[in-house]
Amino acid sequence: MRIHFIAIGGSAMHNLAIALHKKGYQVTGSDDVIFEPSSSRLAGYGILPAQMGWNKANITPDLDAVILGMHALADNPELLRAQELGLKIYSYPEYIYEQTKDKLRVVIGGSHGKTTITSMILHVLNFYKRDFDYLVGAQLAGFETMVKITSEAPLIVIEGDEYLASPIDRRPKFHLYKANLAVISGIAWDHINVFKTYADYVRQFELFINTIQPGGKLIYCSADKDLKEIVKNATAAIEKIAYEIPDHMVKDGITYLMPEEVPLKVFGDHNLMNLNAAKLICAQLDIDNKQFDAAICSFTGAAKRLELLRSENETNVYKDFAHSPSKLKATIEAVKAQFPDRKLVACIELHTFSSLNKDFLVQYADTMKAADTAIVYIDEKTFQHKKLKPFSKKDVQRAFKREQLHFFNDPTLLQDYLLNVNFYRTNLLLMSSGNFGGVDLVKLARELNTVEQGI
């Protein structure tokens, strides 16, 4: 098989390219720019494009398939050439389905928790050395790539993103996988550049339920009222299984699953909810509750999800991917509940298109209420890059409904502020899908003052 990737450098795209290369396919690709770690990883497998840019000559009649990434535009010269030649053009999710249509497909959907639930399932399957393929949105410990596609594995576990499939296929990705087993973790409006209203966004989950194959199963969070209503009204010929927070206790900063008192390395209501979803999926894959508990106690979390950067003098510094209002609120509340005797400084970088939209900003109202100190950072360059009008400090304070909120748009000033705070018995939570203007967070965590005043 000869496969060409248009926009090969994307996170998911380059991982699929590597997976197909390892499967024995002839893989080529192109892109206008490829960042790390995609660049080094593609080079390691000998499939990094020799030069950047688009070239119609890359598209030849002998290609078996062209896979089109979301980063490409509809007038991409390579795409136009492929259409002219009548070649088979797939979006990323379409090709995943094409490769796995004879497997059992487990698809994890929802506005939040997708990566963690998928990661938990993969961890447990890996623990028991099960043969499986997967597609996940983060690099996981013990897994070389974020995508694995083989001929032999009987099942695939897919993190089902609701964003669009490609520039010429405006369907959400998770509609295309045709799940046998599905999860919906919850619904919180996102991707407002595509789904202009909350109702439009919710509709995508209604449609997703209808893509579950007849006789399949939907596992859903019953704590989400809107989701519960959607599931109740769904007429698909599937079994519906609800889940909520499992019985647990927190002691000395460690969460235990009850009644067996299984110690966990993760914490927070949202993670416990995610764990229950993963447990129910694993039960469908013939892994019972006792086996699940034995495996999940060694799960340390998905990359960038409450990742511990430093722990000293009753101070923990965490890095987290949270950026949407629901994720921000859940993550702050999780850290505060786990360490009720410590203060919490919470810092969010607004970085996504949705979060930088003034009309959407009001969705963040009261999301940082549980933090003792709230900080919002927006890199000035982000507004310039996205051609958006910058927010003022007042705009942000008003939207978050917090007058004492600290606002920074310069990474140096943010760093200076944090280095002048005394973090003794105080946790710091740094949340972003960006990079805080290039601040070295590991170095920052190491340099924070955690010494008790007066000592």
Side-chain angles (χ1 to χ4, degrees):
M1 292 286 284
R2 291 200 62 220
I3 312 290
H4 182 76
F5 283 74
I6 300 177
I8 196 172
S11 175
M13 288 284 279
H14 91 273
N15 272 285
L16 179 57
I18 291 169
L20 295 180
H21 171 79
K22 290 171 80 171
K23 196 175 179 181
Y25 289 12
Q26 281 184 267
V27 174
T28 57
S30 56
D31 215 321
D32 53 356
V33 60
I34 300 179
F35 298 105
E36 291 294 356
S38 305
S39 180
S40 295
R41 299 185 76 220
L42 288 169
Y45 288 96
I47 50 177
L48 179 69
Q51 55 190 40
M52 294 300 111
W54 315 112
N55 185 351
K56 286 196 297 186
N58 289 329
I59 309 300
T60 53
D62 58 342
L63 286 172
D64 294 293
V66 171
I67 301 177
L68 178 64
M70 193 64 208
H71 163 63
L73 299 176
D75 63 353
N76 182 286
E78 293 187 11
L79 170 59
L80 296 177
R81 178 63 175 157
Q83 290 170 327
E84 185 184 310
L85 291 174
L87 296 176
K88 185 62 185 168
I89 301 166
Y90 294 92
S91 67
Y92 175 92
E94 271 184 311
Y95 199 75
I96 292 289
Y97 174 73
E98 188 65 27
Q99 289 278 305
T100 61
K101 58 189 174 187
D102 296 324
K103 300 177 188 283
L104 179 75
R105 292 176 304 284
V106 180
V107 181
I108 315 303
S111 304
H112 40 72
K114 293 187 293 289
T115 301
T116 299
I117 295 169
T118 307
S119 303
M120 286 175 167
I121 296 165
L122 300 192
H123 177 85
V124 174
L125 292 174
N126 207 35
F127 186 89
Y128 290 108
K129 296 182 168 52
R130 295 280 288 271
D131 187 17
F132 61 96
D133 288 342
Y134 60 85
L135 185 170
V136 63
Q139 192 63 53
L140 307 180
F143 293 84
E144 186 189 354
T145 56
M146 292 157 61
V147 179
K148 181 187 168 200
I149 302 282
T150 64
S151 302
E152 302 79 25
L155 73 118
I156 182 167
V157 183
I158 300 171
E159 179 179 337
D161 184 10
E162 68 272 23
Y163 200 68
L164 304 181
S166 86
I168 59 172
D169 186 345
R170 310 298 285 177
R171 292 173 294 174
K173 293 186 184 79
F174 69 164
H175 290 182
L176 305 178
Y177 298 128
K178 301 179 184 177
N180 303 108
L181 300 174
V183 170
I184 302 181
S185 61
I187 301 175
W189 191 22
D190 202 355
H191 308 305
I192 65 162
N193 53 321
V194 176
F195 309 114
K196 303 295 185 187
T197 65
Y198 178 63
D200 186 24
Y201 183 73
V202 169
R203 177 69 181 144
Q204 309 316 311
F205 291 90
E206 294 173 341
L207 294 171
F208 172 58
I209 293 172
N210 290 329
T211 70
I212 301 170
Q213 300 301 282
K217 295 179 182 179
L218 170 63
I219 290 160
Y220 69 98
C221 177
S222 59
D224 187 312
K225 289 178 184 175
D226 289 352
L227 174 56
K228 193 175 178 182
E229 189 65 21
I230 288 165
V231 173
K232 186 178 103 175
N233 295 329
T235 57
I238 57 173
E239 183 182 346
K240 304 165 184 177
I241 305 169
Y243 70 89
E244 47 192 29
I245 297 174
D247 192 17
H248 65 283
M249 72 170 185
V250 179
K251 186 180 176 184
D252 298 329
I254 296 173
T255 297
Y256 297 84
L257 277 183
M258 304 302 284
E260 304 297 332
E261 293 194 22
V262 178
L264 300 174
K265 295 185 186 299
V266 294
F267 60 86
D269 286 356
H270 62 310
N271 268 330
L272 289 165
M273 205 89 83
N274 294 336
L275 184 148
N276 245 2
K279 180 179 275 193
L280 286 166
I281 285 289
C282 286
Q284 305 300 322
L285 304 176
D286 300 320
I287 293 170
D288 64 32
N289 287 353
K290 193 173 180 182
Q291 290 172 314
F292 181 88
D293 289 352
I296 204 67
C297 62
S298 57
F299 177 73
T300 55
K304 299 179 186 174
R305 270 69 175 182
L306 280 176
E307 189 177 325
L308 186 62
L309 301 182
R310 180 184 177 186
S311 183
E312 188 177 349
N313 291 346
E314 296 185 70
T315 298
N316 285 1
V317 182
Y318 294 99
K319 177 173 74 172
D320 195 270
F321 193 69
H323 51 85
S324 69
S326 60
K327 292 174 187 170
L328 174 62
K329 186 172 186 290
T331 306
I332 289 173
E333 289 176 356
V335 176
K336 193 64 182 173
Q338 195 73 1
F339 302 97
D341 297 330
R342 298 184 191 178
K343 289 182 180 177
L344 175 61
V345 176
C347 178
I348 173 78
E349 176 182 13
L350 299 183
H351 177 75
T352 64
F353 182 90
S354 295
S355 67
L356 296 176
N357 180 289
K358 200 164 186 178
D359 293 333
F360 186 81
L361 194 65
V362 295
Q363 301 290 324
Y364 286 93
D366 294 325
T367 53
M368 302 187 81
K369 204 171 182 179
D372 297 280
T373 301
I375 304 168
V376 172
Y377 167 76
I378 307 174
D379 194 327
E380 250 185 336
K381 293 173 189 166
T382 306
F383 280 113
Q384 294 164 12
H385 177 68
K386 295 184 189 286
K387 297 183 173 65
L388 295 168
K389 185 182 176 185
F391 297 147
S392 69
K393 182 177 181 177
K394 276 288 174 206
D395 290 334
V396 176
Q397 288 174 332
R398 198 175 296 118
F400 278 77
K401 288 191 175 176
R402 184 149 180 164
E403 282 185 22
Q404 302 308 312
L405 179 146
H406 299 275
F407 176 71
F408 296 94
N409 57 14
D410 181 310
T412 305
L413 294 177
L414 170 65
Q415 194 165 231
D416 288 347
Y417 171 82
L418 292 172
L419 290 172
N420 280 291
V421 172
N422 184 280
F423 279 95
Y424 176 73
R425 300 197 73 188
T426 302
N427 290 333
L428 173 61
L429 178 55
L430 298 158
M431 296 163 287
S432 176
S433 59
N435 67 354
F436 285 101
V439 171
D440 184 336
L441 299 184
V442 175
K443 183 172 180 283
L444 172 66
R446 200 168 51 237
E447 292 176 351
L448 293 177
N449 176 15
T450 64
V451 179
E452 185 177 5
Q453 287 178 324
I455 293 180

